[in-house]
Amino acid sequence: FDLFKTNPTRLLEIYWQLICEEHKQTSVKLPPFHFGNRFFESLDEARLKRRPRYENNLKRVFRAMAGAMLGEGIWSYGGDEHHALREKILLRDSPQQERTRVIGKKTSTEKACRVRVTKEWKTTLHVHYWRCFDGRYEFANVTDDHDDSTIY
């Protein structure tokens, strides 16, 4: 838990190594990532901190983030655990959320995704993140409301 407070990047690197070893993908490099402006704030919200096993849930958040980047096993993209973050969560034909970024003269579209962290239905934790045009992952926020499609 101390690494979460002092060096969250290192914590994610550790979970990356563990996930890669579990899936026998030890030669795969950790993709570039960063934490969005509201990521840590979302983890610090009172309703998340009141949950039982808060510290254990934080570890599960970082494990799910590493799993989403590897995209193996239960974290394969496209299933119930890891999928597009839709504008309307409960409608499978709702469009995936997107954002546009302009860098120099180039305009690029980035797609929103979500990965499930815990198993409860209505109060499950989800990590919402952006797949950036340059291959980076931007971890935006964590929510405990299944129907919340907010991403920062």
Side-chain angles (χ1 to χ4, degrees), residues 35-99:
F35 302 104
N37 294 337
R38 303 266 317 263
F39 180 77
F40 296 106
E41 182 181 318
S42 73
L43 286 173
D44 204 33
E45 289 181 7
R47 69 177 193 272
L48 293 184
K49 290 188 100 164
R50 282 194 304 266
R51 292 171 65 99
R53 301 175 301 280
Y54 175 71
E55 288 183 20
N56 188 46
N57 282 334
L58 285 179
K59 293 173 186 173
R60 293 169 77 180
V61 163
F62 277 76
R63 181 175 171 77
M65 290 162 50
M69 288 191 294
L70 183 61
E72 294 284 336
I74 66 167
W75 293 291
S76 295
Y77 188 81
D80 286 341
E81 305 290 331
H82 184 201
H83 53 84
L85 179 57
R86 308 219 171 268
E87 291 176 9
K88 295 184 179 161
I89 296 291
L90 298 177
L91 299 176
R92 290 202 182 260
D93 61 348
S94 179
Q96 184 173 14
Q97 291 190 54
E98 296 180 342
R99 71 179 179 187

Side-chain angles (χ1 to χ4, degrees), residues 3-16:
L3 269 181
F4 168 72
K5 293 179 177 177
T6 60
N7 192 347
T9 297
R10 179 67 187 130
L11 183 60
L12 188 51
E13 290 169 349
I14 289 169
Y15 278 105
W16 172 260

Side-chain angles (χ1 to χ4, degrees), residues 106-130:
K106 183 176 180 180
T107 301
S108 299
T109 301
E110 300 176 331
K111 299 198 177 276
C113 305
R114 74 188 291 180
V115 61
R116 185 173 9 185
V117 176
T118 56
K119 299 286 185 199
E120 306 91 3
W121 173 247
K122 277 297 200 183
T123 61
T124 189
L125 293 178
H126 285 91
V127 175
H128 293 181
Y129 71 92
W130 293 102

Side-chain angles (χ1 to χ4, degrees), residues 16 20-21 24-30:
W16 172 260
C20 286
E21 287 171 10
K24 297 177 179 31
Q25 300 284 337
T26 54
S27 64
V28 179
K29 288 185 150 191
L30 176 65

